Amino acid sequence: MDHFHFQAGALHCENVPVAKIAETVGTPAYIYSKATFLHHYRAVHDAFAALDPLICYSIKSCGNLSICNLLKSAGAGFDIVSGGELARAQAIGADMSQIVFAGVGKSDEEIEQAIDAGVGWFNVESEAEMENLITISRRKRVRTRAALRVNPDVDPRTHRYTSTGKKESKFGVDLERGRRFFDAYGRDAAVHLCGIHLHIGSPVNDIAPYVGAITKGIDLIDALRADGFDIDTIDIGGGFGAHYRDTEAPPAVRYAEAIVPLLKDKRLKVIMEPGRSIAANAGILLTRTLYLKQSGDRDFLIVDAGMNDLLRPALYEAYHFAWPVAPRAGFVPKDRASAAQLPGLKLMDIVGPVCESGDFLAKDRMLPPMQRGDLVAVYSAGAYGMSMASHYNSRPNPPEVLVDGDDFRVIRRRETYDDLMAAERL
Ligand code: LLP
């Protein structure tokens, strides 16, 4: 599942004690395990091998150039959602033909930038966007390739902010409009509309919503083929689960068991867009205890990372397991699930320095005795951690460190106050 483990009472990332990284780069800091990234990428690759899919790593989950480069070397293409993510892919010399460009609000500049770069597919989300893509492609005299994002109206049973495949969502077009969409645009000379795209939400720990969505997608493809359209691609999106509380996410093989039979022998190029399932468990946010404080009947552990560093708890009330990096004797956890059962724990909230009550990293947690200076690891922070970090309260972004066996290196330095103000004019 990951390469963060306790050895001689101290948390290690692969073979490196995380306390040693704190000594070098300070806190807060994101720490990633190369082996864990590769493990999760290969798990998807191997589980779906029968489909020989193009695995487009979703840059938005963790877009550091070194991480993208690592996954490029492993064979990944990329899922992008902005000109900025395209620039990241270009910066690492990614193969542009292996890139899918999604998003409900692509600007003209972003579309032009992507056409010039030669991205593989535009995942088109509306009639208006399709018309714009046609106009720009004609003007540039380039034949672009597109897939229609359809909204299969399935419930992924995840947080309402990260559910994307229900009827009322802003993403894609209703399934019923799919045939009309192809009637209108499916024979255009400038944009080759050759596939459909589905992405139902994130994280989706149930397999049934995928089966429901893909089945509906295949039915649409069959109908479109019967209408004479040449459909050669299905992009099934991302959204596969990761472990936050314990080991709750189905492994890639469980998804594959249900999904592969639906797509095999359909004469379709299969694209997948996993982000979280590759990145989440590959990273922790390392933070240091500043103060302990009691307020009313609550105990607070005030640490030096806040909602600007890791927004997920504040935004989605997301759960991230958190534990001291060098627990006192008797408090080394066997696993996440049983950690809260150890005798002698105390109920606490882990909160940051930001001036908002929503600034917490972990609420109502049973934690070992703690003191000022103790390091705490916030787990499963590799996906949508650093990529959603902000400068709120004028807090510079933390560094990112990549561990590889016995070594580690800084893959993004800590920001300075000058960085914070670099784009501003007096
Ligand atoms: N494809 C599309 C079109 C997407 O919109 C997304 C994520 C993905 C792929 C990758 O999904 P993944 O495999 O990483 O679950 N900030 C939220 C998650 C938002 C996901 C947005 N779209 C969070 O922290 O949970």
Side-chain angles (χ1 to χ4, degrees):
M1 139 183 174
D2 65 47
H3 289 78
F4 294 94
H5 55 269
F6 282 91
Q7 209 174 297
L11 184 66
H12 285 59
C13 175
E14 303 193 12
N15 301 328
V16 180
V18 302
K20 187 172 155 197
I21 300 174
E23 274 168 32
T24 311
V25 303
T27 55
Y30 276 98
I31 300 175
Y32 305 122
S33 152
K34 176 177 170 180
T36 310
F37 265 105
L38 292 176
H39 167 78
H40 286 286
Y41 175 79
R42 287 186 190 127
V44 180
H45 177 273
D46 295 352
F48 285 87
L51 298 175
D52 191 23
L54 171 60
I55 301 175
C56 291
Y57 171 66
S58 195
I59 290 187
K60 65 177 82 65
S61 64
C62 183
N64 182 289
L65 295 179
S66 286
I67 301 300
C68 292
N69 201 37
L70 174 67
L71 291 161
K72 182 189 91 171
S73 308
F78 296 98
D79 157 46
I80 62 168
V81 75
S82 68
E85 290 188 351
L86 176 56
R88 288 185 177 277
Q90 287 174 308
I92 59 154
D95 178 349
M96 292 293 136
S97 71
Q98 312 284 290
I99 287 185
V100 287
F101 186 7
V104 292
K106 303 176 190 78
S107 70
D108 291 9
E109 292 73 25
E110 287 175 318
I111 292 173
E112 286 175 15
Q113 185 190 342
I115 292 177
D116 292 345
V119 303
W121 292 264
F122 285 83
N123 286 337
V124 173
E125 307 231 12
S126 67
E127 288 82 355
E129 182 197 338
M130 185 69 187
E131 285 177 16
N132 196 30
L133 179 61
I134 290 171
T135 304
I136 298 175
S137 302
R138 276 192 196 145
R139 195 170 66 223
K140 287 190 163 288
R141 299 181 195 289
V142 175
R143 188 158 199 243
T144 48
R145 193 161 48 168
L148 171 64
R149 179 165 181 179
V150 290
N151 187 332
D153 196 27
V154 298
D155 185 355
R157 291 189 282 249
T158 186
H159 192 280
R160 64 188 191 288
Y161 289 180
T162 57
S163 163
T164 53
K166 297 271 294 298
K167 231 187 176 115
E168 60 273 19
S169 119
K170 71 172 177 178
F171 298 100
V173 306
D174 298 354
L175 209 55
E176 307 83 70
R177 282 196 355 239
R179 281 175 85 170
R180 261 186 288 144
F181 195 102
F182 273 79
D183 281 338
Y185 307 111
R187 294 183 179 85
D188 191 88
V191 179
H192 180 201
L193 188 60
C194 63
I196 70 156
H197 172 224
L198 303 156
H199 173 74
I200 54 177
S202 170
V204 185
N205 283 343
D206 276 349
I207 292 165
Y210 282 97
V211 172
I214 292 169
T215 304
K216 288 183 181 183
I218 295 285
D219 288 347
L220 175 62
I221 288 172
D222 287 344
L224 291 169
R225 282 176 165 170
D227 290 347
F229 294 106
D230 172 25
I231 310 293
D232 58 23
T233 305
I234 185 166
D235 179 341
I236 63 169
F240 310 103
H243 302 311
Y244 287 97
R245 289 177 181 276
D246 187 16
T247 52
E248 69 270 30
V253 284
R254 287 285 98 70
Y255 292 99
E257 273 166 13
I259 293 173
V260 169
L262 302 175
L263 294 173
K264 211 161 176 320
D265 307 323
K266 290 284 176 196
R267 293 179 292 114
L268 286 167
K269 173 161 196 68
V270 177
I271 300 175
M272 304 176 70
E273 304 172 342
R276 184 194 310 272
S277 57
I278 293 173
N281 294 119
I284 61 167
L285 174 61
L286 185 64
T287 180
R288 196 179 284 282
T289 305
L290 296 173
Y291 304 106
L292 284 93
K293 165 173 180 171
Q294 249 188 340
S295 210
D297 59 353
R298 298 195 78 83
D299 279 285
F300 294 100
L301 193 72
I302 302 172
V303 296
D304 64 1
M307 65 189 285
N308 72 295
D309 302 301
L310 179 63
L311 182 62
R312 304 191 70 257
L315 190 59
Y316 316 116
E317 295 186 52
Y319 181 100
H320 286 260
F321 178 72
W323 205 258
V325 158
R328 280 151 192 66
F331 293 106
V332 174
K334 251 196 358 277
D335 51 51
R336 298 183 194 183
S338 63
Q341 313 304 328
L342 290 169
L345 302 179
K346 190 170 169 185
L347 189 68
M348 283 189 231
D349 290 352
I350 305 179
V351 301
V354 171
C355 57
E356 301 241 4
S357 297
D359 177 31
F360 62 90
L361 298 176
K363 261 214 163 116
D364 293 326
R365 298 299 172 81
M366 296 302 288
L367 290 170
M370 301 289 296
Q371 64 185 41
R372 178 172 160 78
D374 283 350
L375 290 170
V376 176
V378 182
Y379 286 69
S380 313
Y384 307 106
M386 187 62 177
S387 66
M388 290 174 76
S390 78
H391 293 131
Y392 188 39
N393 280 203
S394 288
R395 289 168 50 79
N397 284 162
E400 295 178 288
V401 172
L402 182 61
V403 175
D404 179 8
D406 298 328
D407 297 324
F408 67 92
R409 68 191 175 91
V410 176
I411 56 172
R412 182 189 165 116
R413 64 167 170 78
R414 183 181 303 286
E415 286 183 345
T416 63
Y417 295 144
D418 283 344
D419 290 328
L420 277 184
M421 295 177 274
E424 297 176 34
R425 301 287 175 269
L426 201 58

